[in-house]
Amino acid sequence: MKQYLELCQRIIDEGHWIENRRTGKRCLTVINADLVYNVADNEFPLVTTRKSYWKSAIAELIGYLRGYSNAADFRKLGTKTWDANANENTAWLNNPYRKGEDDMGRVYGVQGRSWQKPDGGTVDQLRKIADDLSNGIDDRGEILTFYNPGEFHMGCLRPCMHTHTFSLLGDTLYLTSYQRSCDVPLGQNFNQLQVFTLLKLMAQITGNRPGQAYHKIVNAHIYEDQLELMRDVQLKREPYPSPRLHINPDIRSLEDIETWVTLDDFEVTGYQHHEPIAYPFSV
């Protein structure tokens, strides 16, 4: 929580105003932010200076791990995070690759589970990683990437959190996650929960212990219509201690995640928070 608030304050103190062409809004922006999450001690980085809806973040992560490409499938899991990008993004609505309502195209989890090869086959990156880590293997290339420039035109949004690298030292698993762009008031609250949960979940299904998760953000920004709420409301509040995340111990494999896991298999305890803040969302 301290890291998050320090980054918010840094953006306000040191940020530069940048015009964002996609949204037509200005962003107060800094370059390079490094955050570390203590997964080993289960210090869940859920923002406490406003009420945060952690279930939606985890539901989105499950959808990625399953390779979903349709906003309706994400809604069934318990999140509406892809509704706007799938159905309100003008450029995507006019894209010939869009298959219809709720279609997201070849984004995020599609690339992670079904990366297209020139010979017509596909690569399941996540399966390879899960198999290696389950067998105590780290070939220094346990990399899950959603960033496929050759298919950007076939999806509604380029990935923001684009690459996850797993590293195994003995029986302790570490994760380094890379993010090209981050809407700090809204997106980071989701993203840091997903980084934490991804390491904790992958350690569990591969029979390893979770260590630390490293979250690297290149472009961290606050939109101009979010600035007043962040500066004058959220940053004036005192944070509470970090809550804890509990995952159903019966989740033991990638197949479990693919088939029966729901939000009921995740629980957060000890979550104290301030009142919600309705930050504007930019499509």
Side-chain angles (χ1 to χ4, degrees):
M1 188 65 225
K2 180 182 177 183
Q3 297 175 93
Y4 175 79
L5 296 176
E6 287 176 346
L7 175 56
C8 294
Q9 190 64 57
R10 177 188 160 205
I11 294 172
I12 291 171
D13 293 341
E14 304 174 12
H16 292 260
W17 284 109
I18 301 296
E19 185 77 26
N20 182 260
R21 293 183 181 181
R22 181 177 65 85
T23 63
K25 297 179 182 179
R26 294 192 308 159
C27 302
L28 199 56
T29 305
V30 299
I31 301 301
N32 190 51
D34 290 288
L35 300 100
V36 182
Y37 311 127
N38 187 355
V39 187
D41 290 338
N42 202 10
E43 296 175 3
F44 195 44
L46 184 56
V47 170
T48 63
T49 47
R50 68 176 176 90
K51 184 177 182 180
S52 300
Y53 300 93
W54 61 270
K55 289 186 177 182
S56 189
I58 292 180
E60 186 179 58
L61 176 63
I62 296 171
Y64 291 162
L65 298 181
R66 290 180 175 176
Y68 283 167
S69 63
N70 193 285
D73 289 327
F74 282 88
R75 287 197 298 274
K76 291 176 185 176
L77 284 173
T79 181
K80 297 181 179 180
T81 51
W82 281 95
D83 286 5
N85 282 308
N87 298 310
E88 299 176 21
N89 182 328
T90 302
W92 178 238
L93 293 178
N94 296 322
N95 190 310
Y97 285 97
R98 186 173 184 264
K99 298 176 182 178
E101 185 178 0
D102 286 325
D103 181 45
M104 298 157 48
R106 291 190 58 78
V107 297
Y108 281 89
V110 177
Q111 302 293 348
R113 301 306 308 268
S114 185
W115 183 287
Q116 292 183 342
K117 298 194 299 181
D119 63 8
T122 61
V123 176
D124 186 341
Q125 301 177 65
L126 186 59
R127 166 53 62 192
K128 180 265 185 186
I129 295 167
D131 287 347
D132 278 359
L133 297 178
S134 295
N135 290 296
I137 297 171
D138 174 4
D139 67 4
R140 302 179 185 174
E142 306 302 343
I143 300 172
L144 175 68
T145 185
F146 306 141
Y147 206 79
N148 186 350
E151 293 189 349
F152 284 164
H153 64 294
M154 300 171 70
C156 65
L157 184 70
R158 288 182 300 163
C160 295
M161 177 86 72
H162 60 81
T163 301
H164 303 277
T165 300
F166 294 91
S167 302
L168 195 59
L169 295 179
D171 65 350
T172 302
L173 185 64
Y174 297 84
L175 173 63
T176 306
S177 296
Y178 304 87
Q179 187 165 356
R180 65 171 181 84
S181 173
C182 184
D183 174 341
V184 172
L186 284 177
Q188 186 175 338
N189 183 45
F190 263 53
N191 299 140
Q192 61 192 31
L193 302 185
Q194 290 171 340
V195 171
F196 184 100
T197 305
L198 180 58
L199 175 55
K200 188 173 178 67
L201 191 56
M202 288 294 289
Q204 180 167 309
I205 69 170
T206 60
N208 293 290
R209 295 185 302 144
Q212 289 182 313
Y214 304 97
H215 185 183
K216 297 182 175 292
I217 303 170
V218 176
N219 183 304
H221 51 265
I222 298 173
Y223 280 99
E224 57 186 332
D225 55 6
Q226 301 170 331
L227 181 58
E228 184 177 353
L229 286 170
M230 174 58 74
R231 182 190 59 219
D232 300 337
V233 180
Q234 188 164 358
L235 284 176
K236 300 296 185 182
R237 297 172 172 178
E238 286 295 321
Y240 293 107
S242 295
R244 303 175 73 80
L245 173 67
H246 306 278
I247 300 177
N248 183 348
D250 291 336
I251 302 174
R252 305 306 307 173
S253 68
L254 185 54
E255 287 78 14
D256 291 341
I257 297 172
E258 294 169 336
T259 55
W260 58 264
V261 170
T262 71
L263 285 178
D264 291 337
D265 296 297
F266 300 85
E267 180 186 9
V268 170
T269 59
Y271 184 37
Q272 296 176 274
H273 57 80
H274 291 266
E275 292 298 309
I277 298 175
Y279 282 111
F281 172 69
S282 298
V283 178

